[in-house]
Amino acid sequence: MVVSYSQERYELEQIIPMLEPELGRWLGRFKSLTPPQKYSIVSIMQGKSTLIAAPTGSGKTLAVFLSIINTLLKMGKEGKLEDKVYCIYISPLKALDYDIEKNLNQPLEAIYRYAEKENSYIPQIRVGVRTGDTSQAERVKMLKKPPHILVTTPESVAILLVAPKFRENLKSVKWVIVDEIHEICNNKRGVHLSLSLERLQALALDKIVRIGLSATIHPIEEVARYLVGYNKDGTERDCTVVDTRFVKPIELKVLCPVKDLVHTNASKASYKMYKLITDLISLHKTTLIFTNTRSGTERVVYQLSKLKVVDGDELAAHHGSLSKELRRDIEDRLKHGLMRAVVTSTSLELGIDVGSIEGVVQIGSPKSVSKCLQRVGRSGHSLKKVSKGYLIPLERDDLMEDAVIVSEAKKGSLDRVHIPKNCLDVLSQHVVGMAIERRWGEEAAYELVKSSYNYRDLPYSVFKSVLKYLSGGYEQLEGHRVYGKIWYDDVEKVFGRRGILIRVIYSTNIGTIPENVHVKVLTLNNRWVGMIEEEFLERLRPGDVFLLGGKPYEFKYSKGLTAYVTPAEGEKPTVPTWFSEMLPLSFDTAESIGRFREKVFSMLDLKVPKKQILETISKETSSDSYASESIYSYFKTQIDFLNYLRVKERHSDKVIMVENYVGERREQNFIFHTVFGRRVNEALSRIYAYVITKYAKRNVSVTITDSGFILTIPRHIPLDIRKIVNIVSKENARHLLIEAIKNTELLRRRFRHCASRALMVLRNYKGHEITVNRQQSNAQLLMQIVEEFEDFPVLQEAYREIIEDLMDVENALRIIDDVELGRRRFIFLPQCDLPSPFSHDMLLSGYSDMVLMEDKKALLKALYDEVVSRVKEQQKKNLAKE
């Protein structure tokens, strides 16, 4: 293995003599180095590519820039520092870019002051920021006098690689820093960056030292390989790992706002939650409050404002929909200790320097251990201070997730990151970029692409299919204005750019983030209903019921950016409107919940005293008495229900219970207790629903949550669910899933995204923005055409993106394989007119929109009480018989 761990530790007094005197004097003002600094500074000085994993506030950035600034100072003194770029710092957020520029200029200004006092010469080390927000005047200035350290985003790197004049300044790059690498590598921005780094290395005169920074990442060796890529011969490049992830003390607690999550009415539960949050705010100088949705953020700020918890200017919301100026103002006020509480969704979880936050509140489940630690790590912004996090559940499944996340965090567990592979739309974009750079030999280009971790297994035939598409190899597309972007000589095996407009097309259409738009919702007779997010629309299937304006509507079909619905009075919503906003539960955390279930059920079956079980839950999960009691009663009522059905098996990570619940309207609900997270459950549910539709000739309604899914057949018609499950195998599951997503909104929308990235459907042309509606219409027409072609790369990518990135087909296949090999098993419960307590939140997930929270609470209480009543009745009969 070429990934190695840094073992040598250097103290401050050993590092200072290695530095230029001015820099050494500045560093000497610190009492000591932090753990990541002790293990990484010398590694970077020695020119080793390094991945540093360490908590927020542990001095990672200083560790990196110390040796870089030192080398640049030395070069300047020797007269070797030219007007070129030597270091590129890349972050996922523009706000981080400006943050790092400020933090970099502080030590530089201090060094200049030292030099001034001593009348010694210090060369000016320039730091510059280049993002999409950078003005044209600043860009021209940067071209004339390039920064030695360029702070930028992944997209800007790709643009600079084809900028004819600025490109020359990149040949001197010696270091590339990728900050918050866990946030970049798990999506197509990371794939995009990986290819940009390989192109940058091909341009550079020397080997580039790559440095990755992250607070929470796993598996660390896979991320190291992503960072550095592969040599031309396919061997791994060297990477030194500095793993100091768990050096900072962290304190996590699960706090339940009410004693009984089932019977407390919605208004009282809400009041108690805000009272709890108010108490936490009063305990800390500054509190950061995380919600899981933007709408949730606004709602919490509104309620806290009404309660006058703090002065109006000491409380604010922070999320991506706010203006850049407003966000920066809130960040600056946080840094200067002028805020008592800030509520956010995701925008403040990354490493923007927001000063000394004393406590973090998480409302609802953070959905993974890594996300929890990332968010809570924003508090106690130094290694000596404890990071304090308070997790407040809103319902029982939330509570289970919070408890297990805290338990796993205490053990040092982290969730595995998903790194997309062989994305053909991103590859298409980069091949065009490479063609703009120069004429390429086919084999040399393929060699460069395979140097990226994301494409190390890319088949040559697939690479050739991308060249065919980009060079206009499908003549039928030209009639729809899809022209070749490159020329390709299949005999000489070379390619290059085609046409004078291609550089402009590339630069104005680059990137991987799809445009977020709203979709009009109309009834079939064109009556206006409202607006929904496009991301929500893509998850809808005909027959799905959702709430809009407080009323239920059934989705029928869409056309462009218009969705058509019919009123569905009295119908239960099957898809909550926040569904697309919610983070999915990670597979690793979900598996931990399965193991936790087994442990608690085992204690109950062994008749362990309640007090002892409560103590175990409280100790393992850091839950308060209300939370521990709620967890206990949740399991106790579930075990009573299973006993009522005379079922001896219990839920666990190895046992998948399937209920056969007949509802009030005689509809049949097959409830799969698959605690695998929504990505896996979406794959499994679509496979089984497709099999029912195809083989049983029944329409199926699907409800999906992180804890499982429900397949509903409208009327009570006999269906043997065992046969349906047995039809699915590891060999046919992937094919069944692909068949299941054909002709869906999901495929149509994702095809547009992929076609846009692959420069097939343009967002900008000759200075004009093309509307998303027009893009979608063009994409739907093109999709009909390319479906006739064999293995057309853009369509293949749309399928791959859906089943591998949006869903989790690999873990779904693993579960199916485990069942076939006997490592997991399905337990089919007898038919019943009552759903089990574990299924209640699933059944009522569509009611989780706040407008119907009272309704949901009433239904939840009714279901729960009916189960308890039925179980007690059965127990009385059993006693009477005895």
Side-chain angles (χ1 to χ4, degrees), residues 413-453:
S413 302
L414 288 170
D415 308 272
R416 287 169 294 173
V417 70
H418 166 72
I419 302 177
K421 310 282 192 329
N422 297 338
C423 307
L424 302 184
D425 50 356
V426 178
L427 176 59
S428 299
Q429 198 175 117
H430 275 273
V431 168
V432 173
M434 291 163 69
I436 293 168
E437 289 173 16
R438 63 179 174 88
R439 175 184 171 129
W440 280 84
E442 182 187 295
E443 288 185 10
Y446 178 62
E447 197 175 75
L448 180 143
V449 168
K450 278 179 69 76
S451 297
S452 157
Y453 173 84

mmCIF file of all heavy atoms in Angstrom, residues 413-453:
data_model
loop_
_atom_site.group_PDB
_atom_site.id
_atom_site.type_symbol
_atom_site.label_atom_id
_atom_site.label_comp_id
_atom_site.label_asym_id
_atom_site.label_seq_id
_atom_site.Cartn_x
_atom_site.Cartn_y
_atom_site.Cartn_z
ATOM 1 N N SER A 413 -16.874 5.702 15.705
ATOM 2 C CA SER A 413 -17.302 5.238 14.382
ATOM 3 C C SER A 413 -17.574 6.427 13.463
ATOM 4 O O SER A 413 -18.000 7.486 13.909
ATOM 5 C CB SER A 413 -18.581 4.405 14.484
ATOM 6 O OG SER A 413 -18.391 3.308 15.340
ATOM 7 N N LEU A 414 -17.344 6.242 12.160
ATOM 8 C CA LEU A 414 -17.687 7.250 11.158
ATOM 9 C C LEU A 414 -18.330 6.553 9.971
ATOM 10 O O LEU A 414 -18.088 5.370 9.720
ATOM 11 C CB LEU A 414 -16.433 8.010 10.688
ATOM 12 C CG LEU A 414 -15.797 8.996 11.677
ATOM 13 C CD1 LEU A 414 -14.456 9.472 11.152
ATOM 14 C CD2 LEU A 414 -16.709 10.186 11.942
ATOM 15 N N ASP A 415 -19.139 7.290 9.211
ATOM 16 C CA ASP A 415 -19.814 6.716 8.052
ATOM 17 C C ASP A 415 -18.899 6.769 6.822
ATOM 18 O O ASP A 415 -18.170 7.739 6.618
ATOM 19 C CB ASP A 415 -21.093 7.513 7.741
ATOM 20 C CG ASP A 415 -21.957 7.649 8.973
ATOM 21 O OD1 ASP A 415 -22.774 6.758 9.211
ATOM 22 O OD2 ASP A 415 -21.799 8.648 9.705
ATOM 23 N N ARG A 416 -18.990 5.745 6.010
ATOM 24 C CA ARG A 416 -18.194 5.703 4.781
ATOM 25 C C ARG A 416 -18.703 6.720 3.769
ATOM 26 O O ARG A 416 -19.905 6.872 3.591
ATOM 27 C CB ARG A 416 -18.248 4.299 4.158
ATOM 28 C CG ARG A 416 -17.433 3.266 4.911
ATOM 29 C CD ARG A 416 -17.734 1.872 4.412
ATOM 30 N NE ARG A 416 -19.119 1.504 4.714
ATOM 31 C CZ ARG A 416 -19.707 0.399 4.277
ATOM 32 N NH1 ARG A 416 -19.053 -0.438 3.507
ATOM 33 N NH2 ARG A 416 -20.954 0.133 4.603
ATOM 34 N N VAL A 417 -17.774 7.380 3.118
ATOM 35 C CA VAL A 417 -18.127 8.345 2.084
ATOM 36 C C VAL A 417 -18.374 7.606 0.766
ATOM 37 O O VAL A 417 -17.752 6.576 0.499
ATOM 38 C CB VAL A 417 -17.008 9.404 1.935
ATOM 39 C CG1 VAL A 417 -15.752 8.815 1.310
ATOM 40 C CG2 VAL A 417 -17.470 10.593 1.137
ATOM 41 N N HIS A 418 -19.321 8.094 -0.027
ATOM 42 C CA HIS A 418 -19.586 7.506 -1.353
ATOM 43 C C HIS A 418 -18.925 8.385 -2.396
ATOM 44 O O HIS A 418 -19.220 9.579 -2.504
ATOM 45 C CB HIS A 418 -21.092 7.425 -1.611
ATOM 46 C CG HIS A 418 -21.437 7.162 -3.053
ATOM 47 N ND1 HIS A 418 -21.235 5.937 -3.655
ATOM 48 C CD2 HIS A 418 -21.937 7.982 -4.022
ATOM 49 C CE1 HIS A 418 -21.613 6.005 -4.927
ATOM 50 N NE2 HIS A 418 -22.046 7.238 -5.166
ATOM 51 N N ILE A 419 -17.985 7.828 -3.158
ATOM 52 C CA ILE A 419 -17.289 8.579 -4.207
ATOM 53 C C ILE A 419 -17.762 8.071 -5.566
ATOM 54 O O ILE A 419 -17.546 6.913 -5.905
ATOM 55 C CB ILE A 419 -15.752 8.422 -4.077
ATOM 56 C CG1 ILE A 419 -15.296 8.895 -2.687
ATOM 57 C CG2 ILE A 419 -15.032 9.189 -5.178
ATOM 58 C CD1 ILE A 419 -13.803 8.727 -2.423
ATOM 59 N N PRO A 420 -18.441 8.924 -6.360
ATOM 60 C CA PRO A 420 -18.967 8.469 -7.663
ATOM 61 C C PRO A 420 -17.835 8.034 -8.605
ATOM 62 O O PRO A 420 -16.736 8.586 -8.574
ATOM 63 C CB PRO A 420 -19.679 9.720 -8.216
ATOM 64 C CG PRO A 420 -19.923 10.583 -7.025
ATOM 65 C CD PRO A 420 -18.789 10.329 -6.088
ATOM 66 N N LYS A 421 -18.137 7.050 -9.443
ATOM 67 C CA LYS A 421 -17.136 6.517 -10.381
ATOM 68 C C LYS A 421 -17.662 6.575 -11.822
ATOM 69 O O LYS A 421 -18.846 6.397 -12.067
ATOM 70 C CB LYS A 421 -16.829 5.044 -10.048
ATOM 71 C CG LYS A 421 -16.513 4.742 -8.588
ATOM 72 C CD LYS A 421 -15.121 5.128 -8.207
ATOM 73 C CE LYS A 421 -14.668 4.600 -6.851
ATOM 74 N NZ LYS A 421 -15.611 4.405 -5.804
ATOM 75 N N ASN A 422 -16.729 6.804 -12.744
ATOM 76 C CA ASN A 422 -16.993 6.720 -14.201
ATOM 77 C C ASN A 422 -18.200 7.552 -14.653
ATOM 78 O O ASN A 422 -19.071 7.065 -15.381
ATOM 79 C CB ASN A 422 -17.175 5.251 -14.626
ATOM 80 C CG ASN A 422 -15.921 4.437 -14.410
ATOM 81 O OD1 ASN A 422 -14.823 4.992 -14.343
ATOM 82 N ND2 ASN A 422 -16.055 3.137 -14.302
ATOM 83 N N CYS A 423 -18.239 8.806 -14.225
ATOM 84 C CA CYS A 423 -19.335 9.714 -14.615
ATOM 85 C C CYS A 423 -19.072 10.218 -16.037
ATOM 86 O O CYS A 423 -18.159 11.021 -16.254
ATOM 87 C CB CYS A 423 -19.425 10.883 -13.645
ATOM 88 S SG CYS A 423 -19.531 10.368 -11.926
ATOM 89 N N LEU A 424 -19.882 9.780 -16.988
ATOM 90 C CA LEU A 424 -19.588 10.045 -18.402
ATOM 91 C C LEU A 424 -19.946 11.463 -18.834
ATOM 92 O O LEU A 424 -19.412 11.954 -19.819
ATOM 93 C CB LEU A 424 -20.314 9.017 -19.284
ATOM 94 C CG LEU A 424 -19.970 7.554 -18.993
ATOM 95 C CD1 LEU A 424 -20.662 6.629 -19.985
ATOM 96 C CD2 LEU A 424 -18.456 7.316 -19.027
ATOM 97 N N ASP A 425 -20.844 12.129 -18.090
ATOM 98 C CA ASP A 425 -21.152 13.524 -18.424
ATOM 99 C C ASP A 425 -19.982 14.438 -18.046
ATOM 100 O O ASP A 425 -19.580 15.309 -18.826
ATOM 101 C CB ASP A 425 -22.450 13.977 -17.747
ATOM 102 C CG ASP A 425 -22.498 13.680 -16.256
ATOM 103 O OD1 ASP A 425 -21.559 13.050 -15.731
ATOM 104 O OD2 ASP A 425 -23.490 14.083 -15.609
ATOM 105 N N VAL A 426 -19.413 14.232 -16.863
ATOM 106 C CA VAL A 426 -18.255 15.021 -16.427
ATOM 107 C C VAL A 426 -17.062 14.729 -17.338
ATOM 108 O O VAL A 426 -16.322 15.635 -17.726
ATOM 109 C CB VAL A 426 -17.904 14.711 -14.954
ATOM 110 C CG1 VAL A 426 -16.671 15.480 -14.513
ATOM 111 C CG2 VAL A 426 -19.085 15.037 -14.037
ATOM 112 N N LEU A 427 -16.898 13.462 -17.700
ATOM 113 C CA LEU A 427 -15.818 13.089 -18.614
ATOM 114 C C LEU A 427 -15.970 13.811 -19.953
ATOM 115 O O LEU A 427 -14.991 14.338 -20.498
ATOM 116 C CB LEU A 427 -15.820 11.571 -18.826
ATOM 117 C CG LEU A 427 -14.798 11.023 -19.838
ATOM 118 C CD1 LEU A 427 -13.376 11.377 -19.418
ATOM 119 C CD2 LEU A 427 -14.950 9.515 -19.984
ATOM 120 N N SER A 428 -17.190 13.866 -20.477
ATOM 121 C CA SER A 428 -17.440 14.556 -21.751
ATOM 122 C C SER A 428 -17.011 16.014 -21.659
ATOM 123 O O SER A 428 -16.354 16.549 -22.565
ATOM 124 C CB SER A 428 -18.925 14.480 -22.114
ATOM 125 O OG SER A 428 -19.338 13.146 -22.260
ATOM 126 N N GLN A 429 -17.378 16.654 -20.560
ATOM 127 C CA GLN A 429 -17.024 18.059 -20.369
ATOM 128 C C GLN A 429 -15.511 18.254 -20.383
ATOM 129 O O GLN A 429 -14.989 19.182 -21.013
ATOM 130 C CB GLN A 429 -17.613 18.536 -19.034
ATOM 131 C CG GLN A 429 -17.708 20.034 -18.891
ATOM 132 C CD GLN A 429 -18.418 20.430 -17.610
ATOM 133 O OE1 GLN A 429 -17.815 21.068 -16.746
ATOM 134 N NE2 GLN A 429 -19.677 20.059 -17.466
ATOM 135 N N HIS A 430 -14.799 17.362 -19.723
ATOM 136 C CA HIS A 430 -13.342 17.502 -19.632
ATOM 137 C C HIS A 430 -12.634 17.145 -20.943
ATOM 138 O O HIS A 430 -11.599 17.733 -21.259
ATOM 139 C CB HIS A 430 -12.802 16.675 -18.474
ATOM 140 C CG HIS A 430 -12.871 17.406 -17.168
ATOM 141 N ND1 HIS A 430 -11.882 18.251 -16.732
ATOM 142 C CD2 HIS A 430 -13.850 17.458 -16.234
ATOM 143 C CE1 HIS A 430 -12.223 18.776 -15.569
ATOM 144 N NE2 HIS A 430 -13.423 18.304 -15.248
ATOM 145 N N VAL A 431 -13.176 16.200 -21.676
ATOM 146 C CA VAL A 431 -12.574 15.879 -22.980
ATOM 147 C C VAL A 431 -12.649 17.099 -23.898
ATOM 148 O O VAL A 431 -11.693 17.415 -24.622
ATOM 149 C CB VAL A 431 -13.247 14.647 -23.624
ATOM 150 C CG1 VAL A 431 -12.836 14.489 -25.077
ATOM 151 C CG2 VAL A 431 -12.893 13.380 -22.842
ATOM 152 N N VAL A 432 -13.764 17.824 -23.845
ATOM 153 C CA VAL A 432 -13.881 19.064 -24.625
ATOM 154 C C VAL A 432 -12.841 20.069 -24.138
ATOM 155 O O VAL A 432 -12.161 20.726 -24.939
ATOM 156 C CB VAL A 432 -15.310 19.652 -24.528
ATOM 157 C CG1 VAL A 432 -15.375 21.032 -25.189
ATOM 158 C CG2 VAL A 432 -16.316 18.718 -25.175
ATOM 159 N N GLY A 433 -12.694 20.188 -22.805
ATOM 160 C CA GLY A 433 -11.687 21.094 -22.243
ATOM 161 C C GLY A 433 -10.284 20.729 -22.691
ATOM 162 O O GLY A 433 -9.471 21.601 -23.044
ATOM 163 N N MET A 434 -9.987 19.438 -22.709
ATOM 164 C CA MET A 434 -8.666 18.976 -23.154
ATOM 165 C C MET A 434 -8.443 19.299 -24.629
ATOM 166 O O MET A 434 -7.345 19.708 -25.035
ATOM 167 C CB MET A 434 -8.533 17.472 -22.903
ATOM 168 C CG MET A 434 -8.454 17.106 -21.421
ATOM 169 S SD MET A 434 -8.777 15.349 -21.094
ATOM 170 C CE MET A 434 -7.307 14.612 -21.820
ATOM 171 N N ALA A 435 -9.507 19.139 -25.423
ATOM 172 C CA ALA A 435 -9.402 19.431 -26.862
ATOM 173 C C ALA A 435 -9.140 20.910 -27.101
ATOM 174 O O ALA A 435 -8.446 21.285 -28.061
ATOM 175 C CB ALA A 435 -10.684 18.993 -27.567
ATOM 176 N N ILE A 436 -9.677 21.770 -26.227
ATOM 177 C CA ILE A 436 -9.430 23.217 -26.356
ATOM 178 C C ILE A 436 -7.971 23.521 -26.036
ATOM 179 O O ILE A 436 -7.347 24.375 -26.664
ATOM 180 C CB ILE A 436 -10.389 23.998 -25.415
ATOM 181 C CG1 ILE A 436 -11.835 23.851 -25.896
ATOM 182 C CG2 ILE A 436 -10.009 25.481 -25.350
ATOM 183 C CD1 ILE A 436 -12.874 24.333 -24.896
ATOM 184 N N GLU A 437 -7.417 22.800 -25.068
ATOM 185 C CA GLU A 437 -6.013 23.008 -24.676
ATOM 186 C C GLU A 437 -5.058 22.740 -25.839
ATOM 187 O O GLU A 437 -4.170 23.530 -26.138
ATOM 188 C CB GLU A 437 -5.636 22.047 -23.536
ATOM 189 C CG GLU A 437 -6.260 22.342 -22.197
ATOM 190 C CD GLU A 437 -5.951 21.230 -21.198
ATOM 191 O OE1 GLU A 437 -5.033 20.419 -21.446
ATOM 192 O OE2 GLU A 437 -6.639 21.166 -20.165
ATOM 193 N N ARG A 438 -5.221 21.582 -26.460
ATOM 194 C CA ARG A 438 -4.297 21.176 -27.532
ATOM 195 C C ARG A 438 -4.824 19.929 -28.231
ATOM 196 O O ARG A 438 -5.852 19.377 -27.845
ATOM 197 C CB ARG A 438 -2.906 20.894 -26.959
ATOM 198 C CG ARG A 438 -2.832 19.736 -25.956
ATOM 199 C CD ARG A 438 -1.400 19.547 -25.490
ATOM 200 N NE ARG A 438 -1.273 18.557 -24.437
ATOM 201 C CZ ARG A 438 -1.108 17.245 -24.622
ATOM 202 N NH1 ARG A 438 -1.090 16.754 -25.863
ATOM 203 N NH2 ARG A 438 -0.962 16.422 -23.601
ATOM 204 N N ARG A 439 -4.114 19.497 -29.240
ATOM 205 C CA ARG A 439 -4.427 18.247 -29.944
ATOM 206 C C ARG A 439 -3.934 17.080 -29.080
ATOM 207 O O ARG A 439 -2.818 17.107 -28.571
ATOM 208 C CB ARG A 439 -3.701 18.291 -31.291
ATOM 209 C CG ARG A 439 -3.782 17.051 -32.130
ATOM 210 C CD ARG A 439 -2.922 17.297 -33.356
ATOM 211 N NE ARG A 439 -2.746 16.097 -34.134
ATOM 212 C CZ ARG A 439 -2.959 16.012 -35.426
ATOM 213 N NH1 ARG A 439 -3.371 17.085 -36.097
ATOM 214 N NH2 ARG A 439 -2.759 14.890 -36.078
ATOM 215 N N TRP A 440 -4.789 16.072 -28.933
ATOM 216 C CA TRP A 440 -4.457 14.946 -28.055
ATOM 217 C C TRP A 440 -4.436 13.627 -28.816
ATOM 218 O O TRP A 440 -5.280 13.386 -29.679
ATOM 219 C CB TRP A 440 -5.506 14.800 -26.947
ATOM 220 C CG TRP A 440 -5.326 15.746 -25.808
ATOM 221 C CD1 TRP A 440 -5.756 17.033 -25.735
ATOM 222 C CD2 TRP A 440 -4.657 15.474 -24.564
ATOM 223 N NE1 TRP A 440 -5.407 17.588 -24.528
ATOM 224 C CE2 TRP A 440 -4.747 16.653 -23.786
ATOM 225 C CE3 TRP A 440 -3.999 14.360 -24.033
ATOM 226 C CZ2 TRP A 440 -4.186 16.745 -22.501
ATOM 227 C CZ3 TRP A 440 -3.464 14.448 -22.757
ATOM 228 C CH2 TRP A 440 -3.550 15.633 -22.009
ATOM 229 N N GLY A 441 -3.494 12.767 -28.450
ATOM 230 C CA GLY A 441 -3.532 11.374 -28.882
ATOM 231 C C GLY A 441 -4.554 10.652 -28.018
ATOM 232 O O GLY A 441 -4.638 10.894 -26.810
ATOM 233 N N GLU A 442 -5.326 9.791 -28.645
ATOM 234 C CA GLU A 442 -6.408 9.094 -27.932
ATOM 235 C C GLU A 442 -5.888 8.330 -26.708
ATOM 236 O O GLU A 442 -6.459 8.402 -25.628
ATOM 237 C CB GLU A 442 -7.082 8.139 -28.915
ATOM 238 C CG GLU A 442 -8.243 7.359 -28.376
ATOM 239 C CD GLU A 442 -8.733 6.329 -29.379
ATOM 240 O OE1 GLU A 442 -9.229 6.716 -30.459
ATOM 241 O OE2 GLU A 442 -8.587 5.125 -29.101
ATOM 242 N N GLU A 443 -4.777 7.618 -26.887
ATOM 243 C CA GLU A 443 -4.247 6.807 -25.791
ATOM 244 C C GLU A 443 -3.697 7.662 -24.660
ATOM 245 O O GLU A 443 -3.862 7.342 -23.488
ATOM 246 C CB GLU A 443 -3.178 5.847 -26.312
ATOM 247 C CG GLU A 443 -3.768 4.716 -27.149
ATOM 248 C CD GLU A 443 -2.722 3.689 -27.567
ATOM 249 O OE1 GLU A 443 -1.585 3.750 -27.049
ATOM 250 O OE2 GLU A 443 -3.053 2.827 -28.400
ATOM 251 N N ALA A 444 -3.046 8.782 -25.009
ATOM 252 C CA ALA A 444 -2.499 9.687 -23.986
ATOM 253 C C ALA A 444 -3.629 10.302 -23.167
ATOM 254 O O ALA A 444 -3.531 10.448 -21.942
ATOM 255 C CB ALA A 444 -1.656 10.773 -24.637
ATOM 256 N N ALA A 445 -4.719 10.660 -23.845
ATOM 257 C CA ALA A 445 -5.876 11.244 -23.153
ATOM 258 C C ALA A 445 -6.505 10.214 -22.213
ATOM 259 O O ALA A 445 -6.857 10.537 -21.065
ATOM 260 C CB ALA A 445 -6.898 11.743 -24.171
ATOM 261 N N TYR A 446 -6.634 8.979 -22.708
ATOM 262 C CA TYR A 446 -7.213 7.905 -21.894
ATOM 263 C C TYR A 446 -6.342 7.637 -20.664
ATOM 264 O O TYR A 446 -6.837 7.436 -19.547
ATOM 265 C CB TYR A 446 -7.344 6.647 -22.740
ATOM 266 C CG TYR A 446 -7.892 5.428 -22.007
ATOM 267 C CD1 TYR A 446 -9.169 5.439 -21.465
ATOM 268 C CD2 TYR A 446 -7.118 4.266 -21.870
ATOM 269 C CE1 TYR A 446 -9.671 4.325 -20.805
ATOM 270 C CE2 TYR A 446 -7.620 3.142 -21.221
ATOM 271 C CZ TYR A 446 -8.898 3.178 -20.684
ATOM 272 O OH TYR A 446 -9.400 2.075 -20.026
ATOM 273 N N GLU A 447 -5.039 7.696 -20.859
ATOM 274 C CA GLU A 447 -4.074 7.495 -19.768
ATOM 275 C C GLU A 447 -4.249 8.569 -18.694
ATOM 276 O O GLU A 447 -4.233 8.288 -17.500
ATOM 277 C CB GLU A 447 -2.662 7.579 -20.365
ATOM 278 C CG GLU A 447 -1.570 7.013 -19.512
ATOM 279 C CD GLU A 447 -0.241 7.048 -20.249
ATOM 280 O OE1 GLU A 447 0.322 8.152 -20.364
ATOM 281 O OE2 GLU A 447 0.209 5.994 -20.734
ATOM 282 N N LEU A 448 -4.429 9.825 -19.140
ATOM 283 C CA LEU A 448 -4.629 10.925 -18.195
ATOM 284 C C LEU A 448 -5.928 10.728 -17.414
ATOM 285 O O LEU A 448 -5.959 10.880 -16.191
ATOM 286 C CB LEU A 448 -4.664 12.270 -18.928
ATOM 287 C CG LEU A 448 -4.872 13.512 -18.038
ATOM 288 C CD1 LEU A 448 -4.053 14.696 -18.555
ATOM 289 C CD2 LEU A 448 -6.338 13.926 -17.926
ATOM 290 N N VAL A 449 -6.989 10.381 -18.118
ATOM 291 C CA VAL A 449 -8.299 10.189 -17.472
ATOM 292 C C VAL A 449 -8.216 9.089 -16.419
ATOM 293 O O VAL A 449 -8.737 9.214 -15.313
ATOM 294 C CB VAL A 449 -9.387 9.873 -18.524
ATOM 295 C CG1 VAL A 449 -10.672 9.385 -17.870
ATOM 296 C CG2 VAL A 449 -9.665 11.112 -19.379
ATOM 297 N N LYS A 450 -7.517 7.999 -16.725
ATOM 298 C CA LYS A 450 -7.409 6.872 -15.789
ATOM 299 C C LYS A 450 -6.498 7.180 -14.598
ATOM 300 O O LYS A 450 -6.486 6.437 -13.620
ATOM 301 C CB LYS A 450 -6.898 5.625 -16.518
ATOM 302 C CG LYS A 450 -8.018 4.889 -17.259
ATOM 303 C CD LYS A 450 -7.499 3.671 -18.002
ATOM 304 C CE LYS A 450 -7.061 2.566 -17.075
ATOM 305 N NZ LYS A 450 -8.183 1.827 -16.476
ATOM 306 N N SER A 451 -5.766 8.306 -14.672
ATOM 307 C CA SER A 451 -4.968 8.723 -13.511
ATOM 308 C C SER A 451 -5.860 9.216 -12.384
ATOM 309 O O SER A 451 -5.461 9.225 -11.223
ATOM 310 C CB SER A 451 -3.990 9.846 -13.913
ATOM 311 O OG SER A 451 -3.079 9.385 -14.872
ATOM 312 N N SER A 452 -7.073 9.639 -12.730
ATOM 313 C CA SER A 452 -8.044 10.072 -11.723
ATOM 314 C C SER A 452 -8.593 8.854 -10.996
ATOM 315 O O SER A 452 -8.932 7.845 -11.625
ATOM 316 C CB SER A 452 -9.188 10.835 -12.398
ATOM 317 O OG SER A 452 -10.357 10.802 -11.604
ATOM 318 N N TYR A 453 -8.725 8.955 -9.679
ATOM 319 C CA TYR A 453 -9.294 7.871 -8.879
ATOM 320 C C TYR A 453 -10.687 7.500 -9.375
ATOM 321 O O TYR A 453 -11.062 6.333 -9.397
ATOM 322 C CB TYR A 453 -9.354 8.301 -7.412
ATOM 323 C CG TYR A 453 -10.072 7.313 -6.521
ATOM 324 C CD1 TYR A 453 -9.395 6.209 -5.993
ATOM 325 C CD2 TYR A 453 -11.419 7.461 -6.216
ATOM 326 C CE1 TYR A 453 -10.051 5.296 -5.184
ATOM 327 C CE2 TYR A 453 -12.083 6.547 -5.407
ATOM 328 C CZ TYR A 453 -11.395 5.469 -4.900
ATOM 329 O OH TYR A 453 -12.048 4.556 -4.117
#
